[in-house]
Amino acid sequence: MGGPSPPYYTPLSKPTANATTSYWRKPKIYPLAIVTILCSLSYLYGVWQNGGGATSGLGTTTSCVFSKNKTTTKTYSLSSTNSGDTQLDFASHHSADDGGAATLSGETIKKYPPCDIKYSEYTPCEDPKRSLKFDRDRLIYRERHCPEKNELHKCRVPAPHGYKSPFKWPLSRDLAWYANVPHKELTVEKAVQNWIRYEGDRFRFPGGGTMFPNGADAYIDDIDKLINLKDGSIRTAIDTGCGVASWGAYLLSRNILAMSFAPRDTHEAQVQFALERGVPALIGVIASKRLPYPSRAFDMAHCSRCLIPWGQYDGAYLIEVDRVLRPGGYWILSGPPIRWRKYWKGWDRSREDLNAEQMQIENVTKSLCWKKLIEKDDIAIWQKPDNHLRCKKLRKIVKNPPFCLAQNPDKAWYTKLETCLTPLPEVSNNEDVAGGELEKWPKRLHAIPPRISRGTINGVTPETFLKDSELWKRRVSYYKTVNNQLGQVGRYRNILDMNAFLGGFAANLIEDPLWVMNIVPVEAKVNTLGAIYERGLIGTYQSWCEAMSTYPRTYDLIHADSVFTLYKDR
């Protein structure tokens, strides 16, 4: 190991002056020194900035479109508070190219605190306490009554203590966590009727109901023996006064999609239970306003001891059912007054009273030109005519209810109930189906809806429908690449489409075990909800300037296409 001494310090060799000079001349030392100096300067600058010397928000916005011959410099900084408590900024910093006119600052970002825990089930437009100041006649106080501007709560509704992710479908049909809907009232009130049971930390839904204690499945089998539920001619249904929606829950396995509704009343949380189970439902009541659905929407309507006074108020409620029933559609009634000769003592009513109620119903249905198909055991079924040719002849003899004149049959947002019969579209002979015959399910989903093929939706043509179908086929396929959970079976169950147009989004999710509530905003330029129903899908009208008639935490996924564009000038 001969040769000169090493040019670095060792215990055996102390470097000379020349050796030290040689060491600092080595090229690899310079970068280290420069990095050290730069890091120190950067640290001092950061300390100065966070100390209040240069606090600023976003000076300009970032353009999402760049010109080839244009260079744009944008500066971003995190704003800090006086307390030194820095928070990450998760807001979007991209906007349309506006030349820097729009700016974002700490003053424009609103932050809403959580509400008090007592608001965990708050439904603004169906607030049980606020509703008490409205008219109780005809249950008007149970209708939508949204808060005034000075009554709005500007806070985020919290989940109840101990909230858990709901059971996945189909397990959710039969089970729900107690912590998510902490109400035991129905387990006591409806104990003998098999609606719901409380089991430790959860509820179990045996599938029973007031008129089907043996279970909804057996009850639906009884209906199927009277009308055909298997051939695809019945796809959409409406359940008035649904309870915990067991009827709708068990229809799903038969490819029948039911819209269930009930008021927020003394039967605490019945619609909330339905939604927690993964069954389509809304808070609602037939009172003084039309139901929020278009005319000719449902293949079947159902009432199982729903306690709606069908024969009263000049038959207004049955007239409304007639409006939303499709030509040839069915109305099913079980419970009082059907089979009153057997049950009158148990119902604690006189035979005369129950007989009079049934006669009222029979008279109203005849005046609507319905045909009574059958009354067997606990079930009675009527059918709406395919068209109104014979009914118009009958009006020369029976004047009431008269046909409505110059009204929009699909207008149903805060629209007053009328005691006049909604006329069906004109036909040329008695065998024609008014408005056009629908394909059976599942062909109905992709067939051009009659409202479109007949040109009754302004600006929407068959070509529009086909292009929209292709567009949403591509979009949903792309969505699943962006959000792979959308393609996972059971990940999502209840989905909301805030601006559905023709239902293309929902149609392309039909193979998945989920359902979509299709919204057609009342502010939309064209009313397309009728066409959505003609596809065998469900939905409702809604103004997004108001709260929806549902409970908090209803939906697993919310889809919004062109919603902000629709409301941009509001």
Side-chain angles (χ1 to χ4, degrees):
M1 294 186 61
S5 299
Y8 48 83
Y9 175 77
T10 69
L12 301 177
S13 162
K14 187 174 181 180
T16 63
N18 289 337
T20 304
T21 304
S22 174
Y23 168 73
W24 282 107
R25 285 178 181 172
K26 288 290 182 181
K28 64 181 179 180
I29 302 303
Y30 288 107
L32 180 63
I34 292 169
V35 167
T36 303
I37 293 169
L38 289 175
C39 286
S40 300
L41 290 173
S42 177
Y43 173 75
L44 292 173
Y45 176 74
V47 170
W48 171 75
Q49 191 179 41
N50 283 289
T55 303
S56 65
L58 296 174
T60 57
T61 58
T62 299
S63 171
C64 293
V65 182
F66 299 96
S67 301
K68 290 183 179 179
N69 299 322
K70 181 180 178 181
T71 303
T72 306
T73 304
K74 303 294 181 184
T75 304
Y76 299 97
S77 68
L78 288 173
S79 60
S80 59
T81 60
N82 291 334
S83 63
D85 216 6
T86 305
Q87 296 183 349
L88 291 175
D89 177 12
F90 293 102
S92 171
H93 294 157
H94 293 277
S95 71
D97 190 2
D98 55 10
T103 60
L104 291 175
S105 68
E107 293 179 354
T108 62
I109 300 173
K110 292 183 180 179
K111 295 183 179 180
Y112 296 99
C115 306
D116 189 279
I117 193 64
K118 68 181 180 181
Y119 290 107
S120 65
E121 296 174 358
Y122 183 51
T123 53
C125 297
E126 289 91 4
D127 184 352
K129 291 183 179 179
R130 189 174 179 277
S131 68
L132 296 176
K133 67 182 184 179
F134 296 97
D135 192 352
R136 296 205 172 200
D137 181 46
R138 294 176 59 169
L139 295 181
I140 288 173
Y141 74 114
R142 298 290 190 196
E143 292 183 318
R144 284 179 61 89
H145 299 288
C146 296
E148 300 293 337
K149 205 166 186 178
N150 60 347
E151 297 175 298
L152 295 175
H153 295 288
K154 296 185 178 181
C155 55
R156 292 176 289 117
V157 174
H161 294 301
Y163 180 85
K164 301 179 182 180
S165 294
F167 291 96
K168 289 184 178 181
W169 183 267
L171 197 60
S172 66
R173 188 192 69 176
D174 303 324
L175 295 172
W177 295 113
Y178 169 75
N180 294 9
V181 193
H183 295 283
K184 297 181 184 178
E185 296 90 339
L186 286 176
T187 64
V188 178
E189 186 178 345
K190 301 293 182 181
V192 298
Q193 296 170 11
N194 233 9
W195 277 30
I196 182 173
R197 297 175 191 161
Y198 175 62
E199 299 178 354
D201 62 349
R202 65 196 66 186
F203 291 110
R204 182 175 297 277
F205 303 92
T210 308
M211 294 308 300
F212 39 96
N214 296 326
D217 233 9
Y219 175 73
I220 294 169
D221 285 339
D222 290 339
I223 295 173
D224 190 34
K225 294 171 186 175
L226 306 177
I227 57 175
N228 195 337
L229 300 179
K230 298 187 181 78
D231 68 350
S233 60
I234 296 176
R235 165 61 181 173
T236 55
I238 184 169
D239 192 9
T240 54
C242 64
V244 294
S246 288
W247 188 71
Y250 282 84
L251 279 174
L252 288 166
S253 62
R254 303 171 193 242
N255 278 326
I256 296 175
L257 196 55
M259 175 72 79
S260 301
F261 75 87
R264 185 166 183 180
D265 58 11
T266 54
H267 292 167
E268 189 66 53
Q270 53 187 331
V271 168
Q272 191 176 13
F273 278 122
L275 294 165
E276 191 72 16
R277 297 174 72 183
V279 180
L282 286 171
I283 302 170
V285 64
I286 300 183
S288 68
K289 303 288 192 301
R290 281 181 173 180
L291 297 173
Y293 315 111
S295 65
R296 298 179 282 125
F298 300 99
D299 301 308
M300 177 169 62
H302 175 256
C303 162
S304 175
R305 197 170 182 175
C306 59
L307 304 179
I308 295 171
W310 296 112
Q312 296 180 25
Y313 309 111
D314 297 320
Y317 301 148
L318 275 175
I319 290 172
E320 176 61 0
V321 171
D322 179 85
R323 183 185 71 85
V324 299
L325 261 187
R326 241 179 230 132
Y330 302 99
W331 182 55
I332 302 170
L333 177 64
S334 64
I338 302 304
R339 214 180 183 187
W340 59 265
R341 289 176 178 84
K342 177 180 178 179
Y343 295 119
W344 68 276
K345 286 185 179 179
W347 290 338
D348 196 24
R349 292 175 61 184
S350 70
R351 286 176 289 187
E352 294 76 18
D353 179 35
L354 287 163
N355 183 55
E357 182 181 348
Q358 179 149 358
M359 290 310 298
Q360 271 188 328
I361 292 172
E362 301 282 5
N363 290 334
V364 173
T365 55
K366 285 179 182 176
S367 72
L368 299 176
C369 305
W370 291 3
K371 177 184 177 182
K372 188 171 186 179
L373 291 181
I374 193 168
E375 181 176 335
K376 184 178 180 182
D377 298 330
D378 297 345
I379 299 170
I381 302 178
W382 287 262
Q383 186 174 25
K384 180 177 175 176
D386 286 337
N387 57 65
H388 274 162
L389 284 182
R390 289 192 179 97
C391 201
K392 287 180 178 178
K393 293 178 181 178
L394 181 64
R395 279 297 164 273
K396 296 176 181 178
I397 303 169
V398 181
K399 302 295 184 183
N400 289 316
F403 281 106
C404 301
L405 301 174
Q407 53 116 282
N408 181 351
D410 292 343
K411 186 180 180 183
W413 185 248
Y414 294 115
T415 305
K416 187 178 179 181
L417 276 185
E418 297 181 79
T419 52
C420 58
L421 182 58
T422 300
L424 290 172
E426 295 290 337
V427 296
S428 57
N429 62 70
N430 287 326
E431 286 69 41
D432 288 346
V433 177
E437 190 169 1
L438 296 178
E439 295 279 2
K440 292 183 178 180
W441 183 263
K443 287 184 179 179
R444 188 184 296 188
L445 180 66
H446 298 296
I448 297 173
R451 276 175 164 91
I452 295 176
S453 62
R454 291 171 173 246
T456 59
I457 302 178
N458 187 34
V460 180
T461 64
E463 291 73 23
T464 307
F465 176 80
L466 294 173
K467 286 181 181 178
D468 187 74
S469 297
E470 284 300 315
L471 173 67
W472 283 105
K473 185 178 180 179
R474 293 195 304 272
R475 282 187 176 179
V476 171
S477 177
Y478 176 69
Y479 284 172
K480 289 183 177 180
T481 65
V482 175
N483 177 10
N484 58 14
Q485 295 183 80
L486 191 58
Q488 294 176 10
V489 176
R491 173 60 183 87
Y492 300 121
R493 175 63 186 170
N494 305 358
I495 295 182
L496 176 71
D497 191 353
M498 295 179 69
N499 188 19
F501 189 41
L502 297 175
F505 173 70
N508 283 280
L509 293 172
I510 202 68
E511 298 299 328
D512 299 328
L514 54 82
W515 57 270
V516 178
M517 183 68 76
N518 293 282
I519 302 296
V520 171
V522 295
E523 296 86 358
K525 291 182 179 179
V526 289
N527 183 352
T528 54
L529 191 55
I532 288 172
Y533 271 95
E534 288 179 341
R535 300 189 71 178
L537 305 171
I538 59 170
T540 186
Y541 296 114
Q542 174 68 38
S543 170
W544 292 118
C545 296
E546 298 180 1
M548 193 174 174
S549 292
T550 193
Y551 281 85
R553 301 169 298 280
T554 290
Y555 294 101
D556 304 309
L557 180 72
I558 296 177
H559 176 251
D561 175 51
S562 303
V563 173
F564 300 121
T565 302
L566 188 63
Y567 290 91
K568 66 180 179 180
D569 296 323
R570 300 278 298 194

